[in-house]
Amino acid sequence: MPEITQGVQFIQGQDEFIPDSHVYVIGMPDSRDFSIVDAGLMGKGGYKIQTIQKLGIKLSDIKRIIMTHTHLDHIGCLKEIREQIPHAELWIHEDEANPIEKGDERGVYGMEMFRTMCQSQYGLKSGDFKFKVDRKLKEGETLDIGSLSWEVLHIPGHSAGSIALYDRSQKVLIPGDVVYADYAIGRFDLHGADGSVLKKSLLRLADLEVEVLLPGHNRVVKGVKPGYIRDTAKQWAPYLR
Ligand SMILES: [Zn+2]
Ligand SMILES: [Zn+2]
């Protein structure tokens, strides 16, 4: 079931001992204007590209890559994917776009220990996640792309420049790693994270009508029950300060 809802296709992450983020391909088929939301872990670019082709989407019709945030499990294979679609623009929230352009990778790895581990495990070097960002997204913008309309919500707390994409007409929410299925939320102990800020972001999402929840990992949910995000925020509130 790659098509989750009208104009949203799902490519499941292939987790290793580090998770690989899901990819959502958004855009109505006849628009020939597709966007990839997130990339994934190092080494997963080939899998993501092949899956997109199997869906019958032409790589030339992929116009941009939008990052929900720039943690390693989302941006790891960005370079691999961009080699296949060099024409695609890169869109990131301004609070993470600026560090990425400067080659400041603290937000990519989240913590020093993890950087050391990943650099030796995957042969990464500093500068591997330095990219030019074509569009720096801002809170409150509306992206009219692929015959769909997505609101950009800046929801920091898991990372400084986390965004959600929200399609108000279909009640579809792509929240990155801020909230998952099964009352889970993103971690808030990494560089740029803040529990009290995450709580505010969750409460903000709780005000939205959401029927389809498409997180960065784990299950996708169709038929989200009313109040689900608010209940999740409430359960976590004692820890989010
Ligand atoms: Zn994350
Ligand atoms: Zn993630």
Side-chain angles (χ1 to χ4, degrees):
M1 147 208 75
E3 189 177 58
I4 297 275
T5 181
Q6 271 200 12
V8 182
Q9 321 252 6
F10 171 54
I11 303 175
Q12 180 146 25
Q14 285 188 331
D15 295 347
E16 309 264 322
F17 68 97
I18 302 175
D20 171 33
S21 75
H22 299 328
V23 165
Y24 298 99
V25 185
I26 58 176
M28 296 298 280
D30 50 11
S31 72
R32 301 191 59 195
D33 172 355
F34 294 100
S35 307
I36 295 178
V37 180
D38 288 337
L41 188 64
M42 289 75 70
K44 300 297 177 188
Y47 155 66
K48 300 280 170 64
I49 289 284
Q50 281 161 22
T51 310
I52 289 166
Q53 289 174 312
K54 277 186 210 149
L55 293 170
I57 293 171
K58 284 209 190 87
L59 297 185
S60 56
D61 291 339
I62 297 176
K63 306 298 185 194
R64 65 196 72 77
I65 302 166
I66 304 173
M67 301 298 301
T68 61
H69 65 302
T70 56
H71 279 158
L72 190 70
D73 55 322
H74 296 246
I75 201 173
C77 65
L78 179 59
K79 199 184 263 176
E80 299 161 35
I81 288 181
R82 294 198 84 186
E83 277 164 12
Q84 304 291 317
I85 46 170
H87 58 275
E89 292 196 349
L90 178 60
W91 294 8
I92 303 178
H93 185 269
E94 53 186 346
D95 288 358
E96 288 183 28
N98 293 327
I100 287 295
E101 288 199 316
K102 280 190 274 184
D104 176 351
E105 295 172 340
R106 285 175 297 172
V108 171
Y109 292 101
M111 61 169 85
E112 256 332 285
M113 201 181 69
F114 192 61
R115 180 207 294 262
T116 314
M117 188 192 91
C118 289
Q119 287 187 337
S120 67
Q121 183 81 29
Y122 289 97
L124 296 166
K125 42 191 196 318
S126 53
D128 276 352
F129 301 108
K130 184 175 178 180
F131 295 97
K132 183 186 165 293
V133 178
D134 299 289
R135 179 163 170 181
K136 298 180 184 180
L137 298 171
K138 289 186 167 60
E139 157 63 30
E141 283 187 289
T142 300
L143 309 177
D144 290 310
I145 49 178
S147 304
L148 296 165
S149 186
W150 298 91
E151 294 171 35
V152 175
L153 308 168
H154 181 214
I155 44 166
H158 170 68
S159 74
S162 280
I163 57 162
L165 296 175
Y166 180 55
D167 175 348
R168 195 170 286 272
S169 67
Q170 295 195 91
K171 304 187 173 95
V172 178
L173 183 69
I174 302 178
D177 284 354
V178 170
V179 61
Y180 305 112
D182 306 311
Y183 302 98
I185 62 170
R187 57 191 289 179
F188 43 92
D189 58 332
L190 300 173
H191 177 84
D194 183 316
S196 64
V197 173
L198 180 57
K199 182 168 154 183
K200 284 195 195 113
S201 293
L202 286 167
L203 289 172
R204 187 160 174 228
L205 295 180
D207 284 337
L208 306 173
E209 278 185 57
V210 176
E211 282 177 5
V212 181
L213 180 67
L214 305 177
H217 304 280
N218 306 326
R219 290 198 305 122
V220 302
V221 189
K222 288 183 85 166
V224 177
K225 69 177 187 341
Y228 168 72
I229 297 176
R230 189 169 306 281
D231 290 346
T232 304
K234 266 190 206 152
Q235 287 192 17
W236 283 94
Y239 306 97
L240 298 174
R241 40 170 121 220

